[in-house]
């Protein structure tokens, strides 16, 4: 099982480097349309290539599944699931609400994951059973129980279509990168 403070620190370093690369690529070429109608940028492709290499060095026995390169079956040490630029439309059109997202899945369960929001300078890392951190500082755990009507939640378009806006608790916020 991969994990621990050093492993999380290495993931954060890879996320930050990937975010810096995305910022360097931003606006270098116009975005293209993928077959599904979503956008892809030079940044998406270059960041995914970087993360394939960086995460492969971090955990050589894990497979890699990137949004741009497609599906892979888990390997002995699991599977890295990567969205190189989560919120590509926001990224392409200048909104700061985008990030670089990675997760390590082992035995069909996410064990560690993170997102770096380069324009905001914030990095969030979480490890199953160990907690969550923002920029290396522990976050307070969320209290268990129902979502209160005033608490903010995020949801994707497919989730909203599946359960309907009224089927989601709390105050809904959708900013393009859930």
């Amino acid at each position: 099982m991969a994990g621990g403070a050093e492993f999380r620190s290495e993931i954060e370093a890879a996320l930050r480097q990937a975010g810096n690369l995305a910022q360097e690529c931003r606006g270098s070429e116009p975005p293209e349309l993928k077959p599904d109608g979503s956008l892809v940028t030079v940044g998406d492709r270059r960041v995914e290539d970087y993360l394939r290499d960086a995460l492969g060095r971090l955990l050589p026995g894990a497979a890699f599944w990137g949004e741009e390169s497609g599906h892979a079956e888990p390997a002995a040490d699991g599977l890295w699931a990567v969205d190189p630029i989560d919120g590509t439309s926001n990224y392409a059109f200048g909104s700061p609400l985008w990030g670089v997202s990675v997760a390590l899945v082992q035995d069909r369960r996410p064990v560690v994951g993170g997102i770096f929001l380069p324009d905001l300078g914030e990095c969030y890392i979480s490890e199953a059973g160990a907690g969550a951190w923002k920029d290396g500082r522990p976050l307070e755990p969320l209290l268990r129980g129902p979502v209160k009507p005033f608490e903010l939640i995020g949801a994707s378009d497919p989730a909203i279509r599946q359960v309907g806006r009224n089927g989601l608790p709390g105050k809904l916020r959708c900013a393009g990168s859930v």
Side-chain angles (χ1 to χ4, degrees):
M1 265 315 207
E6 184 177 337
F7 191 67
R8 291 188 308 267
S9 178
E10 291 173 347
I11 292 171
E12 181 171 343
L15 282 167
R16 288 182 181 276
Q17 182 61 38
N20 292 339
L21 176 59
Q23 287 179 310
E24 290 171 15
C25 294
R26 199 175 201 177
S28 63
E29 293 181 25
E32 300 170 22
L33 280 179
K34 294 193 287 189
D36 69 0
S38 63
L39 295 179
V40 63
T41 66
V42 169
D44 286 287
R45 292 185 179 116
R46 291 198 51 210
V47 167
E48 188 165 306
D49 289 344
Y50 166 78
L51 287 170
R52 178 186 314 283
D53 183 57
L55 297 174
R57 285 192 310 270
L58 183 57
L59 193 61
F64 186 92
W65 182 0
E67 181 178 352
E68 307 313 326
S69 58
H71 180 75
E73 292 298 321
D77 286 336
L79 175 73
W80 288 106
V82 173
D83 188 345
I85 297 181
D86 186 1
T88 298
S89 292
N90 286 352
Y91 167 82
F93 296 111
S95 168
L97 302 178
W98 62 277
V100 178
S101 300
V102 303
L104 177 63
V105 178
Q106 294 177 327
D107 298 321
R108 306 186 110 183
R109 301 189 69 193
V111 294
V112 64
I115 183 167
F116 176 49
L117 309 169
D119 289 353
L120 304 178
E122 298 176 351
C123 190
Y124 296 86
I125 303 284
S126 178
E127 184 177 354
W133 295 263
K134 175 188 172 196
D135 299 327
R137 294 188 175 153
L139 293 172
E140 291 294 319
L142 296 174
L143 299 175
R144 292 189 179 271
V147 176
K148 296 171 184 65
F150 56 84
E151 292 178 320
L152 296 179
I153 65 164
S156 64
D157 289 341
I160 294 168
R161 283 192 294 275
Q162 184 175 2
V163 300
R165 185 178 175 92
N166 294 331
L168 297 170
K171 293 185 90 168
L172 181 62
R173 295 294 182 260
C174 232
S177 177
V178 177

mmCIF file of all heavy atoms in Angstrom, residues 93-138:
data_model
loop_
_atom_site.group_PDB
_atom_site.id
_atom_site.type_symbol
_atom_site.label_atom_id
_atom_site.label_comp_id
_atom_site.label_asym_id
_atom_site.label_seq_id
_atom_site.Cartn_x
_atom_site.Cartn_y
_atom_site.Cartn_z
ATOM 1 N N PHE A 93 -10.556 29.745 -20.960
ATOM 2 C CA PHE A 93 -11.163 31.063 -21.078
ATOM 3 C C PHE A 93 -10.803 32.015 -19.939
ATOM 4 O O PHE A 93 -11.438 33.055 -19.780
ATOM 5 C CB PHE A 93 -12.678 30.920 -21.246
ATOM 6 C CG PHE A 93 -13.023 30.208 -22.531
ATOM 7 C CD1 PHE A 93 -13.565 28.933 -22.509
ATOM 8 C CD2 PHE A 93 -12.762 30.788 -23.758
ATOM 9 C CE1 PHE A 93 -13.850 28.260 -23.689
ATOM 10 C CE2 PHE A 93 -13.045 30.125 -24.943
ATOM 11 C CZ PHE A 93 -13.594 28.856 -24.913
ATOM 12 N N GLY A 94 -9.774 31.646 -19.156
ATOM 13 C CA GLY A 94 -9.216 32.597 -18.206
ATOM 14 C C GLY A 94 -9.767 32.582 -16.798
ATOM 15 O O GLY A 94 -9.352 33.394 -15.977
ATOM 16 N N SER A 95 -10.676 31.677 -16.472
ATOM 17 C CA SER A 95 -11.165 31.586 -15.094
ATOM 18 C C SER A 95 -10.107 30.902 -14.231
ATOM 19 O O SER A 95 -9.431 29.985 -14.691
ATOM 20 C CB SER A 95 -12.462 30.767 -15.048
ATOM 21 O OG SER A 95 -12.785 30.453 -13.706
ATOM 22 N N PRO A 96 -9.960 31.312 -12.972
ATOM 23 C CA PRO A 96 -8.990 30.653 -12.091
ATOM 24 C C PRO A 96 -9.488 29.335 -11.512
ATOM 25 O O PRO A 96 -8.754 28.663 -10.789
ATOM 26 C CB PRO A 96 -8.793 31.688 -10.974
ATOM 27 C CG PRO A 96 -10.098 32.397 -10.904
ATOM 28 C CD PRO A 96 -10.596 32.462 -12.333
ATOM 29 N N LEU A 97 -10.711 28.935 -11.819
ATOM 30 C CA LEU A 97 -11.309 27.745 -11.206
ATOM 31 C C LEU A 97 -11.055 26.501 -12.050
ATOM 32 O O LEU A 97 -11.940 25.983 -12.733
ATOM 33 C CB LEU A 97 -12.800 27.970 -10.978
ATOM 34 C CG LEU A 97 -13.131 29.168 -10.092
ATOM 35 C CD1 LEU A 97 -14.625 29.340 -9.962
ATOM 36 C CD2 LEU A 97 -12.472 29.026 -8.731
ATOM 37 N N TRP A 98 -9.823 26.031 -12.006
ATOM 38 C CA TRP A 98 -9.396 24.810 -12.680
ATOM 39 C C TRP A 98 -8.256 24.232 -11.859
ATOM 40 O O TRP A 98 -7.668 24.914 -11.026
ATOM 41 C CB TRP A 98 -8.952 25.078 -14.121
ATOM 42 C CG TRP A 98 -7.761 25.995 -14.213
ATOM 43 C CD1 TRP A 98 -7.773 27.362 -14.176
ATOM 44 C CD2 TRP A 98 -6.389 25.610 -14.301
ATOM 45 N NE1 TRP A 98 -6.495 27.852 -14.249
ATOM 46 C CE2 TRP A 98 -5.624 26.794 -14.327
ATOM 47 C CE3 TRP A 98 -5.728 24.386 -14.365
ATOM 48 C CZ2 TRP A 98 -4.229 26.794 -14.417
ATOM 49 C CZ3 TRP A 98 -4.342 24.391 -14.457
ATOM 50 C CH2 TRP A 98 -3.612 25.577 -14.492
ATOM 51 N N GLY A 99 -7.973 22.974 -12.072
ATOM 52 C CA GLY A 99 -6.892 22.362 -11.320
ATOM 53 C C GLY A 99 -6.344 21.127 -12.005
ATOM 54 O O GLY A 99 -6.860 20.671 -13.022
ATOM 55 N N VAL A 100 -5.275 20.619 -11.423
ATOM 56 C CA VAL A 100 -4.656 19.375 -11.861
ATOM 57 C C VAL A 100 -5.025 18.324 -10.824
ATOM 58 O O VAL A 100 -4.710 18.482 -9.646
ATOM 59 C CB VAL A 100 -3.124 19.529 -11.963
ATOM 60 C CG1 VAL A 100 -2.487 18.216 -12.379
ATOM 61 C CG2 VAL A 100 -2.754 20.648 -12.933
ATOM 62 N N SER A 101 -5.720 17.257 -11.261
ATOM 63 C CA SER A 101 -6.257 16.254 -10.334
ATOM 64 C C SER A 101 -5.631 14.887 -10.566
ATOM 65 O O SER A 101 -5.524 14.446 -11.713
ATOM 66 C CB SER A 101 -7.768 16.091 -10.527
ATOM 67 O OG SER A 101 -8.434 17.299 -10.303
ATOM 68 N N VAL A 102 -5.246 14.225 -9.471
ATOM 69 C CA VAL A 102 -4.746 12.856 -9.544
ATOM 70 C C VAL A 102 -5.316 12.046 -8.380
ATOM 71 O O VAL A 102 -5.622 12.594 -7.319
ATOM 72 C CB VAL A 102 -3.199 12.770 -9.502
ATOM 73 C CG1 VAL A 102 -2.573 13.583 -10.614
ATOM 74 C CG2 VAL A 102 -2.654 13.181 -8.163
ATOM 75 N N ALA A 103 -5.465 10.755 -8.599
ATOM 76 C CA ALA A 103 -5.865 9.837 -7.529
ATOM 77 C C ALA A 103 -5.212 8.492 -7.779
ATOM 78 O O ALA A 103 -5.059 8.078 -8.929
ATOM 79 C CB ALA A 103 -7.383 9.681 -7.479
ATOM 80 N N LEU A 104 -4.841 7.838 -6.716
ATOM 81 C CA LEU A 104 -4.329 6.476 -6.798
ATOM 82 C C LEU A 104 -5.410 5.540 -6.290
ATOM 83 O O LEU A 104 -5.892 5.700 -5.160
ATOM 84 C CB LEU A 104 -3.052 6.308 -5.974
ATOM 85 C CG LEU A 104 -2.478 4.885 -5.941
ATOM 86 C CD1 LEU A 104 -2.050 4.433 -7.338
ATOM 87 C CD2 LEU A 104 -1.301 4.818 -4.963
ATOM 88 N N VAL A 105 -5.806 4.593 -7.138
ATOM 89 C CA VAL A 105 -6.828 3.616 -6.800
ATOM 90 C C VAL A 105 -6.143 2.255 -6.659
ATOM 91 O O VAL A 105 -5.413 1.833 -7.560
ATOM 92 C CB VAL A 105 -7.918 3.557 -7.897
ATOM 93 C CG1 VAL A 105 -8.962 2.514 -7.572
ATOM 94 C CG2 VAL A 105 -8.538 4.932 -8.094
ATOM 95 N N GLN A 106 -6.364 1.612 -5.510
ATOM 96 C CA GLN A 106 -5.837 0.270 -5.272
ATOM 97 C C GLN A 106 -6.987 -0.613 -4.800
ATOM 98 O O GLN A 106 -7.770 -0.195 -3.946
ATOM 99 C CB GLN A 106 -4.713 0.295 -4.230
ATOM 100 C CG GLN A 106 -3.483 1.036 -4.717
ATOM 101 C CD GLN A 106 -2.398 1.137 -3.670
ATOM 102 O OE1 GLN A 106 -2.658 1.233 -2.475
ATOM 103 N NE2 GLN A 106 -1.153 1.137 -4.131
ATOM 104 N N ASP A 107 -7.067 -1.799 -5.345
ATOM 105 C CA ASP A 107 -8.154 -2.724 -4.996
ATOM 106 C C ASP A 107 -9.525 -2.053 -5.123
ATOM 107 O O ASP A 107 -10.373 -2.183 -4.254
ATOM 108 C CB ASP A 107 -7.959 -3.292 -3.591
ATOM 109 C CG ASP A 107 -6.690 -4.101 -3.475
ATOM 110 O OD1 ASP A 107 -6.376 -4.835 -4.434
ATOM 111 O OD2 ASP A 107 -5.997 -3.989 -2.444
ATOM 112 N N ARG A 108 -9.671 -1.268 -6.193
ATOM 113 C CA ARG A 108 -10.930 -0.590 -6.537
ATOM 114 C C ARG A 108 -11.345 0.491 -5.541
ATOM 115 O O ARG A 108 -12.499 0.895 -5.508
ATOM 116 C CB ARG A 108 -12.052 -1.609 -6.711
ATOM 117 C CG ARG A 108 -11.698 -2.688 -7.713
ATOM 118 C CD ARG A 108 -12.823 -3.577 -7.988
ATOM 119 N NE ARG A 108 -13.200 -3.241 -9.369
ATOM 120 C CZ ARG A 108 -14.206 -3.766 -9.997
ATOM 121 N NH1 ARG A 108 -14.971 -4.627 -9.404
ATOM 122 N NH2 ARG A 108 -14.468 -3.428 -11.224
ATOM 123 N N ARG A 109 -10.401 0.958 -4.724
ATOM 124 C CA ARG A 109 -10.706 2.005 -3.741
ATOM 125 C C ARG A 109 -9.681 3.124 -3.869
ATOM 126 O O ARG A 109 -8.481 2.861 -3.977
ATOM 127 C CB ARG A 109 -10.651 1.432 -2.334
ATOM 128 C CG ARG A 109 -11.643 0.275 -2.151
ATOM 129 C CD ARG A 109 -11.755 -0.143 -0.753
ATOM 130 N NE ARG A 109 -12.418 0.957 -0.059
ATOM 131 C CZ ARG A 109 -12.482 1.070 1.240
ATOM 132 N NH1 ARG A 109 -11.935 0.173 2.007
ATOM 133 N NH2 ARG A 109 -13.100 2.097 1.805
ATOM 134 N N PRO A 110 -10.136 4.377 -3.841
ATOM 135 C CA PRO A 110 -9.178 5.482 -3.844
ATOM 136 C C PRO A 110 -8.415 5.490 -2.516
ATOM 137 O O PRO A 110 -9.016 5.405 -1.449
ATOM 138 C CB PRO A 110 -10.045 6.725 -3.999
ATOM 139 C CG PRO A 110 -11.412 6.311 -3.580
ATOM 140 C CD PRO A 110 -11.521 4.833 -3.797
ATOM 141 N N VAL A 111 -7.087 5.552 -2.598
ATOM 142 C CA VAL A 111 -6.284 5.543 -1.378
ATOM 143 C C VAL A 111 -5.595 6.879 -1.118
ATOM 144 O O VAL A 111 -5.336 7.231 0.027
ATOM 145 C CB VAL A 111 -5.253 4.396 -1.363
ATOM 146 C CG1 VAL A 111 -5.952 3.047 -1.313
ATOM 147 C CG2 VAL A 111 -4.318 4.462 -2.545
ATOM 148 N N VAL A 112 -5.298 7.605 -2.171
ATOM 149 C CA VAL A 112 -4.708 8.941 -2.006
ATOM 150 C C VAL A 112 -5.055 9.747 -3.253
ATOM 151 O O VAL A 112 -5.172 9.198 -4.350
ATOM 152 C CB VAL A 112 -3.173 8.871 -1.786
ATOM 153 C CG1 VAL A 112 -2.454 8.305 -2.977
ATOM 154 C CG2 VAL A 112 -2.588 10.222 -1.395
ATOM 155 N N GLY A 113 -5.270 11.028 -3.062
ATOM 156 C CA GLY A 113 -5.591 11.880 -4.202
ATOM 157 C C GLY A 113 -5.284 13.319 -3.883
ATOM 158 O O GLY A 113 -5.088 13.691 -2.718
ATOM 159 N N GLY A 114 -5.231 14.111 -4.932
ATOM 160 C CA GLY A 114 -4.968 15.521 -4.717
ATOM 161 C C GLY A 114 -5.371 16.358 -5.904
ATOM 162 O O GLY A 114 -5.554 15.853 -7.020
ATOM 163 N N ILE A 115 -5.522 17.642 -5.617
ATOM 164 C CA ILE A 115 -5.773 18.626 -6.674
ATOM 165 C C ILE A 115 -4.976 19.884 -6.343
ATOM 166 O O ILE A 115 -4.934 20.322 -5.193
ATOM 167 C CB ILE A 115 -7.278 18.948 -6.854
ATOM 168 C CG1 ILE A 115 -7.474 19.919 -8.023
ATOM 169 C CG2 ILE A 115 -7.898 19.477 -5.567
ATOM 170 C CD1 ILE A 115 -8.909 20.058 -8.497
ATOM 171 N N PHE A 116 -4.314 20.412 -7.362
ATOM 172 C CA PHE A 116 -3.602 21.676 -7.233
ATOM 173 C C PHE A 116 -4.327 22.694 -8.091
ATOM 174 O O PHE A 116 -4.620 22.443 -9.266
ATOM 175 C CB PHE A 116 -2.150 21.530 -7.693
ATOM 176 C CG PHE A 116 -1.377 22.824 -7.671
ATOM 177 C CD1 PHE A 116 -1.392 23.656 -6.557
ATOM 178 C CD2 PHE A 116 -0.642 23.214 -8.768
ATOM 179 C CE1 PHE A 116 -0.687 24.851 -6.542
ATOM 180 C CE2 PHE A 116 0.075 24.406 -8.766
ATOM 181 C CZ PHE A 116 0.057 25.226 -7.651
ATOM 182 N N LEU A 117 -4.665 23.830 -7.490
ATOM 183 C CA LEU A 117 -5.337 24.935 -8.177
ATOM 184 C C LEU A 117 -4.296 26.025 -8.413
ATOM 185 O O LEU A 117 -4.088 26.895 -7.564
ATOM 186 C CB LEU A 117 -6.497 25.448 -7.320
ATOM 187 C CG LEU A 117 -7.470 24.366 -6.828
ATOM 188 C CD1 LEU A 117 -8.420 24.917 -5.783
ATOM 189 C CD2 LEU A 117 -8.222 23.763 -7.996
ATOM 190 N N PRO A 118 -3.588 25.989 -9.547
ATOM 191 C CA PRO A 118 -2.452 26.876 -9.768
ATOM 192 C C PRO A 118 -2.766 28.366 -9.668
ATOM 193 O O PRO A 118 -1.992 29.124 -9.089
ATOM 194 C CB PRO A 118 -1.971 26.515 -11.176
ATOM 195 C CG PRO A 118 -2.426 25.119 -11.374
ATOM 196 C CD PRO A 118 -3.741 25.030 -10.653
ATOM 197 N N ASP A 119 -3.887 28.799 -10.239
ATOM 198 C CA ASP A 119 -4.197 30.229 -10.207
ATOM 199 C C ASP A 119 -4.511 30.717 -8.800
ATOM 200 O O ASP A 119 -4.410 31.911 -8.520
ATOM 201 C CB ASP A 119 -5.362 30.555 -11.139
ATOM 202 C CG ASP A 119 -4.977 30.450 -12.610
ATOM 203 O OD1 ASP A 119 -3.790 30.250 -12.928
ATOM 204 O OD2 ASP A 119 -5.885 30.562 -13.461
ATOM 205 N N LEU A 120 -4.898 29.809 -7.919
ATOM 206 C CA LEU A 120 -5.185 30.166 -6.524
ATOM 207 C C LEU A 120 -4.024 29.813 -5.605
ATOM 208 O O LEU A 120 -4.022 30.208 -4.431
ATOM 209 C CB LEU A 120 -6.463 29.462 -6.046
ATOM 210 C CG LEU A 120 -7.721 29.717 -6.877
ATOM 211 C CD1 LEU A 120 -8.896 28.927 -6.320
ATOM 212 C CD2 LEU A 120 -8.048 31.200 -6.939
ATOM 213 N N GLY A 121 -3.065 29.034 -6.106
ATOM 214 C CA GLY A 121 -1.911 28.633 -5.310
ATOM 215 C C GLY A 121 -2.250 27.664 -4.190
ATOM 216 O O GLY A 121 -1.536 27.601 -3.194
ATOM 217 N N GLU A 122 -3.321 26.882 -4.333
ATOM 218 C CA GLU A 122 -3.761 25.972 -3.279
ATOM 219 C C GLU A 122 -3.632 24.525 -3.729
ATOM 220 O O GLU A 122 -4.004 24.189 -4.850
ATOM 221 C CB GLU A 122 -5.220 26.247 -2.902
ATOM 222 C CG GLU A 122 -5.438 27.629 -2.338
ATOM 223 C CD GLU A 122 -6.901 27.931 -2.052
ATOM 224 O OE1 GLU A 122 -7.785 27.136 -2.436
ATOM 225 O OE2 GLU A 122 -7.160 28.987 -1.461
ATOM 226 N N CYS A 123 -3.130 23.673 -2.823
ATOM 227 C CA CYS A 123 -3.008 22.259 -3.103
ATOM 228 C C CYS A 123 -3.679 21.471 -1.981
ATOM 229 O O CYS A 123 -3.398 21.692 -0.800
ATOM 230 C CB CYS A 123 -1.543 21.853 -3.216
ATOM 231 S SG CYS A 123 -1.338 20.162 -3.840
ATOM 232 N N TYR A 124 -4.572 20.584 -2.356
ATOM 233 C CA TYR A 124 -5.308 19.741 -1.415
ATOM 234 C C TYR A 124 -4.912 18.286 -1.660
ATOM 235 O O TYR A 124 -4.905 17.838 -2.814
ATOM 236 C CB TYR A 124 -6.817 19.887 -1.626
ATOM 237 C CG TYR A 124 -7.317 21.284 -1.344
ATOM 238 C CD1 TYR A 124 -7.284 22.263 -2.329
ATOM 239 C CD2 TYR A 124 -7.813 21.614 -0.093
ATOM 240 C CE1 TYR A 124 -7.739 23.551 -2.067
ATOM 241 C CE2 TYR A 124 -8.271 22.900 0.180
ATOM 242 C CZ TYR A 124 -8.229 23.853 -0.815
ATOM 243 O OH TYR A 124 -8.672 25.132 -0.556
ATOM 244 N N ILE A 125 -4.583 17.582 -0.581
ATOM 245 C CA ILE A 125 -4.218 16.167 -0.643
ATOM 246 C C ILE A 125 -5.049 15.433 0.398
ATOM 247 O O ILE A 125 -5.250 15.938 1.513
ATOM 248 C CB ILE A 125 -2.719 15.953 -0.335
ATOM 249 C CG1 ILE A 125 -1.821 16.749 -1.273
ATOM 250 C CG2 ILE A 125 -2.361 14.466 -0.333
ATOM 251 C CD1 ILE A 125 -1.687 16.197 -2.660
ATOM 252 N N SER A 126 -5.492 14.228 0.058
ATOM 253 C CA SER A 126 -6.245 13.408 0.998
ATOM 254 C C SER A 126 -5.735 11.977 0.910
ATOM 255 O O SER A 126 -5.375 11.513 -0.172
ATOM 256 C CB SER A 126 -7.733 13.460 0.658
ATOM 257 O OG SER A 126 -8.468 12.636 1.527
ATOM 258 N N GLU A 127 -5.708 11.320 2.056
ATOM 259 C CA GLU A 127 -5.322 9.916 2.092
ATOM 260 C C GLU A 127 -6.332 9.148 2.926
ATOM 261 O O GLU A 127 -6.662 9.564 4.043
ATOM 262 C CB GLU A 127 -3.927 9.756 2.686
ATOM 263 C CG GLU A 127 -3.438 8.339 2.667
ATOM 264 C CD GLU A 127 -2.031 8.168 3.188
ATOM 265 O OE1 GLU A 127 -1.350 9.171 3.478
ATOM 266 O OE2 GLU A 127 -1.604 7.007 3.317
ATOM 267 N N ALA A 128 -6.819 8.053 2.381
ATOM 268 C CA ALA A 128 -7.818 7.237 3.074
ATOM 269 C C ALA A 128 -7.308 6.866 4.469
ATOM 270 O O ALA A 128 -6.193 6.377 4.623
ATOM 271 C CB ALA A 128 -8.136 5.985 2.265
ATOM 272 N N GLY A 129 -8.122 7.153 5.460
ATOM 273 C CA GLY A 129 -7.793 6.805 6.835
ATOM 274 C C GLY A 129 -6.803 7.723 7.511
ATOM 275 O O GLY A 129 -6.493 7.543 8.695
ATOM 276 N N ALA A 130 -6.268 8.703 6.790
ATOM 277 C CA ALA A 130 -5.243 9.576 7.374
ATOM 278 C C ALA A 130 -5.664 11.044 7.418
ATOM 279 O O ALA A 130 -5.070 11.827 8.138
ATOM 280 C CB ALA A 130 -3.931 9.442 6.596
ATOM 281 N N GLY A 131 -6.656 11.438 6.636
ATOM 282 C CA GLY A 131 -7.112 12.814 6.664
ATOM 283 C C GLY A 131 -6.853 13.555 5.369
ATOM 284 O O GLY A 131 -6.550 12.964 4.337
ATOM 285 N N ALA A 132 -6.968 14.874 5.470
ATOM 286 C CA ALA A 132 -6.802 15.742 4.311
ATOM 287 C C ALA A 132 -5.986 16.965 4.715
ATOM 288 O O ALA A 132 -6.000 17.383 5.878
ATOM 289 C CB ALA A 132 -8.164 16.167 3.768
ATOM 290 N N TRP A 133 -5.276 17.534 3.736
ATOM 291 C CA TRP A 133 -4.398 18.667 3.978
ATOM 292 C C TRP A 133 -4.588 19.714 2.898
ATOM 293 O O TRP A 133 -4.882 19.386 1.750
ATOM 294 C CB TRP A 133 -2.937 18.216 3.942
ATOM 295 C CG TRP A 133 -2.598 17.277 5.037
ATOM 296 C CD1 TRP A 133 -2.010 17.576 6.227
ATOM 297 C CD2 TRP A 133 -2.829 15.869 5.058
ATOM 298 N NE1 TRP A 133 -1.872 16.441 6.978
ATOM 299 C CE2 TRP A 133 -2.373 15.368 6.292
ATOM 300 C CE3 TRP A 133 -3.398 14.965 4.159
ATOM 301 C CZ2 TRP A 133 -2.447 14.037 6.643
ATOM 302 C CZ3 TRP A 133 -3.477 13.627 4.511
ATOM 303 C CH2 TRP A 133 -3.003 13.177 5.741
ATOM 304 N N LYS A 134 -4.417 20.962 3.267
ATOM 305 C CA LYS A 134 -4.353 22.075 2.322
ATOM 306 C C LYS A 134 -2.987 22.705 2.502
ATOM 307 O O LYS A 134 -2.638 23.152 3.602
ATOM 308 C CB LYS A 134 -5.442 23.106 2.594
ATOM 309 C CG LYS A 134 -5.328 24.335 1.704
ATOM 310 C CD LYS A 134 -6.299 25.424 2.112
ATOM 311 C CE LYS A 134 -6.014 26.676 1.320
ATOM 312 N NZ LYS A 134 -6.651 27.842 1.910
ATOM 313 N N ASP A 135 -2.192 22.692 1.441
ATOM 314 C CA ASP A 135 -0.844 23.258 1.469
ATOM 315 C C ASP A 135 -0.029 22.735 2.649
ATOM 316 O O ASP A 135 0.674 23.480 3.325
ATOM 317 C CB ASP A 135 -0.908 24.794 1.478
ATOM 318 C CG ASP A 135 -1.583 25.350 0.246
ATOM 319 O OD1 ASP A 135 -1.442 24.736 -0.833
ATOM 320 O OD2 ASP A 135 -2.264 26.385 0.343
ATOM 321 N N GLY A 136 -0.158 21.430 2.914
ATOM 322 C CA GLY A 136 0.624 20.789 3.956
ATOM 323 C C GLY A 136 0.076 20.907 5.368
ATOM 324 O O GLY A 136 0.622 20.318 6.289
ATOM 325 N N ARG A 137 -0.999 21.647 5.544
ATOM 326 C CA ARG A 137 -1.603 21.793 6.876
ATOM 327 C C ARG A 137 -2.866 20.949 6.960
ATOM 328 O O ARG A 137 -3.692 20.973 6.051
ATOM 329 C CB ARG A 137 -1.953 23.255 7.137
ATOM 330 C CG ARG A 137 -0.731 24.118 7.232
ATOM 331 C CD ARG A 137 -1.113 25.501 7.686
ATOM 332 N NE ARG A 137 0.097 26.261 7.881
ATOM 333 C CZ ARG A 137 0.179 27.551 7.769
ATOM 334 N NH1 ARG A 137 -0.903 28.247 7.471
ATOM 335 N NH2 ARG A 137 1.316 28.175 7.959
ATOM 336 N N PRO A 138 -3.039 20.219 8.088
ATOM 337 C CA PRO A 138 -4.223 19.356 8.204
ATOM 338 C C PRO A 138 -5.518 20.156 8.161
ATOM 339 O O PRO A 138 -5.609 21.257 8.717
ATOM 340 C CB PRO A 138 -4.064 18.696 9.567
ATOM 341 C CG PRO A 138 -2.682 18.981 10.025
ATOM 342 C CD PRO A 138 -2.174 20.158 9.257
#
